[in-house]
Structures are given as structure tokens and as C-alpha cells.
Amino acid sequence: MIGNTGSEATTESQLDAVTLLLDDANLIVHGVDGIISRWTSGCEQLYGWRREEALGKVVHDLLATRFPESLDEIRRRVQTDHAWQGEVVHRHKRGHQVVVATRWVAVNPSSDGPSIIIQTNNDITEMKRVQNDLAEREAHLRSILDTVPESMIVIDEVGCISSFSAAAEQLFGYSSDEVCGQNVKMLMPSPDREAHDGYISRYLTTGERRIIGYGRVVTGQRKDKSTFPMELSVGEAVTNGKRIFTGFVRDLTSRHKIEEELRQAQKMEAIGQLTGGLAHDFNNLLTVISGNLEMIENKLADAGLLELLHEAQGAAEDGAKLTGQLLAFGRRQPLNPKLADIGNLVSGFSELLRRTLGETIELRTTVTGVSNEALVDASQLQNALLNLTLNARDAMPRGGKLSIEISRVRLDVDYAQMYPDVRTGDFVLISVTDTGIGMSPEVKDKAFEPFFTTKGLGAGTGLGLSMVYGFAKQSGGHIQLYSEPGQGTSVRIFLPVARKTEATGPLAVDVGSKQASIPGGTEKILVVEDDPRVRRIAVSRLTQLGYGVIEATNGQEALDQLGQHDGIHLLFTDIVMPGGMTGDELAAEVRARRPGMKVLFTSGYAEPAIAGRELAQSGSWLKKPYTARELAVRLRELLD
């Protein structure tokens, strides 16, 4: 090795011999001032400058050297330690960069002459590129592992954990340092814990697969010993003759909970339909019982018998309350509107909606204005928005954005002319917009129909949008649906703006006191009722009130009677009837033949949504069982 050895200093001729011998090496000799005195052919190939071009030049200027530290510090260390080494960046004659590992050695060619520096350079450009690529890929992989929602665990062929992602740390409660080097069975409860090593051993010896290559639902165990359901998918790879297994874990706790809630909701929906139907039939029976008791009451004078009759009437009223509870269970109860700020209501349960959507869908809620008050049933509004959120989630299987915007709008005459069932005025607008797959025109036309669904068998009841439709209409509002395939869907609910002076609670008809006289009339009324006992009670009451009555048992018979009699002022019809024609269909046909005909519906349901928008108009229907006074007052309201 060439160095400063005092009396044994290397001579100039010896230095020439060394550089000639190492001419193929990347060797540069220069003074402390950097002026090049020797330039090998290896340097010519490495940097592109010929020897004649390089000699006499300052090496740091010629190669535009970028040092890892200051040049003065490097020179000081060379003088003190007689050597320095590190990585620098040089510039090729053509302009591109060359990364080299360099070593400087200070020597004295003569005992009394100045020191010179012998610089050896090894090209490591390609190696640095590979290292940088590897570091970049490792950083990219680490960022993915740190952000991917699914947990990742890597083990070797004996089950020892070598990698544990950030999501896995959050899921299992262990840090990476706590589990790396440990057997993966520590993340399993019994009996899987004891059987795991046998699974791997059996697979390595026989090739029998239990989980490898496909997903399977298993049970995981956290650090606190709690267990949870998870979906585990395992991949296999062989590197350097060693086998590794990569497991991806998805926590199914939320999914199982949602599925259970969905099964419960579907069960409750079925029970609700059943109880609603039973309540409807029971209300028909109560109508007969209370009607007969009412007519008997007017003919009794015996105090003892009247007491018994009043007791029976009280029992009938209790039965009516029972059917009201059954209807409430079946979600056919009257709304309970209260004055509320819609923006505050929606903001209050936005977290519930966010949890319903999941992590792949972004929820944004925007409230415009400071006064967005309306008379609304808060729980029914929540159910409506929850239904819309579920539909939006299903329409965005790969994620997306859901926006809920609340603002005040005014619907003018031009808008109302486009939609005959809309009235002008101030409304609170709730817009629910998603970026999902959208709807075709055919689907959009049927979207609000009960039981219509585009989901597979058993995946939905088809009542979600129809329930939202019924809520908006019964609240005195309006609903619009905008959608195009591939462009998303927007559902807009308009709720009438309310003032604080407006009354809250269910709307009720003021029928007066019992002592007040019952209003009657002489108009001709067409009564349509399929139950003969209920029809007899209705006809008897109307006759006693002075009205002329024409009877029919179904829709078609009612149309026949309409053709045979003139001067009919009002149609009093049940909603659900046999014969293929419902009460609202009959009303539409009657009004087509007799424009301006008044219509009064009756139903055993508290909220007969089957009749559509006709029943959203206040005063157009009576809930069974009804009293003679309620019937009389409602008739006069319509006829007058």
C-alpha cells in the first residue's frame, strides 16, 4: 500500500510505475489543490474525458463533484488520517451523473516535496439505482400495509410471524414487536390454537389445504382474549428455497352485526304486515260492534241496561286502542309531527348513517341557512334517510360519495303546474345524492312502487323507497327522484316549512262534545263496502242522519249503480275490496265519469298508504272503527 512512511517515501518513478500498472483501474492522482497529474484509461472509459483533456484540470471542477460533506473537512481528514472514503456523485462528459465509491490516500513522492492524493473510484451507479428502487418499493409496500383496511400477517413454514401490518396491530391489539418471532397461533382461540401447527405440517407433507388459496371464516383472538369472527385468505410463496405464507384478515364483526340487524328488520317487517292485516280485520269487527251498540243506546231507557251497554262500548274502545298498538308495530300508525329544525335532526343522526355506509363511501352533510323548521315525525324522517342511505350504499359497491343537503326553497306556480299534486309555498328541501350506478328510465318509473326491487331474491323487500314516498306525502310534502345510468341518483324530499305558532302532534278532527247535535244532510251518498255487517251499520247511520243511500259491495257494482242513478253527491268507499278494484281505483274512475265528485275513504288501517296521494289530503278518510259523530262531521266538511 502506498503511504507516508518517512524515510521510505515513495519516489516519483515508483508512482509512475504504479499508475502504469493500474492503468485499467479508475485511478486519479492530483494534488491537495485538486489539479490532476495522472489520469488512467479506466477513468477515460468511466468519465468520457481523454487523458489530455483531464491533465492540469481541477478534478472537482471537471467532474462537478457533489461531496457528502464539505471539501475542507475532507482535506483536513486526509492530512490528519492520510485517508478518506465515501460516496460522491460525479458528472460524465456527456452530462449524466455517475455515483462512485471513492477512496483518497495521501502520499509523499519525495521526503521534502508536497503531498499528493491518489483517488480510486468504483462505479456504483447501477447498484445505487437498484437500492433506490428497492427502497422505493419497500416504502410503497409499507405505505400500503399501513393504510390498507385489511390486516396482513406473514409467517414462515413453522408458523413464526415475520411481518405484522398496522391494521393487524389495531385489530388484534398487539404491536408488531410483540408478535414478530412468535407463533401465529397466539392469535387464535382454542381449539384452533392447538391444531394450527398440525395444519401446516399436514399441508407440507401431504399438500392437503384447509385455508390456503381461498377465503374461510374463522375466529380470531385479541390481546385482551376477546374473540371475533374474521375472514382469512392465505397465499403461499417460495423465496430462496424457503416457504412463506401471507394471510389477509378481514374483521367480520360489523358485517355479522349488520346481517343480524337485517334479518331482524326483515322479520319485523313480516310480522308488521301480519299484525297490520289482523288489525284491519279486527277494526271491521269493532266497527260492527260499536255501531250496533251506538244504535241500541238511542233506544234504551233502562239505567241498568245502559250501564251494561256503556261497559261493552268501553271494551270496544279498548279493542280499538289495541288495534292502534298493532298498527303502530306494523308501521301503519299516524305520524307524530313535532316542530323541529331539520338541519339539527339530520346532523344528530349522521353518525348512524356514516356507520351504515361503511369505510369506502364518503358522507358529506351540508346545511344551508339557519332556519329549516318543519312539522315532522323525527323517527320516521330517520327511517326515511336510513332507507335512502342503504339504497345508496348498494348502488356504490366499489365506494363513492353520498351527499345530504338541507336548505329552504320556494316552489312556484310553474313548478306546481309540472306536478299536479304539489302545492306552492316554502319548503325544507332534503337532497340525498350518491355517485352510484344510477337507474334506467324503466327502473326509475317503478322505483316508488311497493314491493318493486332490482335486488336478488331475498336481498330486499322493495318497500324502502315506497316508505320514503309515503312519509313525504303523509307529511304534506313532495318527493322527486332524479337518476341516470352511470351518473348516480338524487332523491329530493320537500317538507312544508312550519312556523312555531303551528300546532304539533297528529291532526285530529274536532267532532264537538257529546251533547252537541250531530249534523245531518239530505244529499245522496253511494256506499261501497264488501263486509255486509259493516255496510249495514254505515247505511243505517247515514239514513238516520237524513241522507239518501245507494249500496254496492264492490267497485264494479258501484260503477253500475253510478250509471243508474243521477244526483249522487259523494262516494263513501272502503279501500281494500275484492273484485280486482281498490277504493282509490274506484274513486279515480268515478271522478273520470263525474268530475267534482266528493270522495270519503274508510279503512281498518290507520295509514292506508295503498290509496296513494289521495289519502294525504286532510279530511278525505276515516279510520275504522269510527263513531256516527265522526262520520257526520267529516261528511259535512266534504260536502260543504
Side-chain angles (χ1 to χ4, degrees), residues 164 169 174-182:
F164 203 68
E169 291 180 329
Y174 291 99
S175 68
S176 179
D177 294 337
E178 289 179 290
V179 298
C180 286
Q182 303 295 322

Side-chain angles (χ1 to χ4, degrees), residues 138-153:
E138 185 176 352
H140 187 204
L141 178 60
R142 175 53 55 186
S143 69
I144 293 175
L145 295 181
D146 288 342
T147 57
V148 69
E150 293 185 4
S151 304
M152 191 201 76
I153 305 170

Side-chain angles (χ1 to χ4, degrees), residues 128-144:
K128 293 296 293 184
R129 187 190 66 78
V130 172
Q131 287 180 346
N132 291 337
D133 287 347
L134 183 60
E136 182 179 349
R137 292 181 182 181
E138 185 176 352
H140 187 204
L141 178 60
R142 175 53 55 186
S143 69
I144 293 175

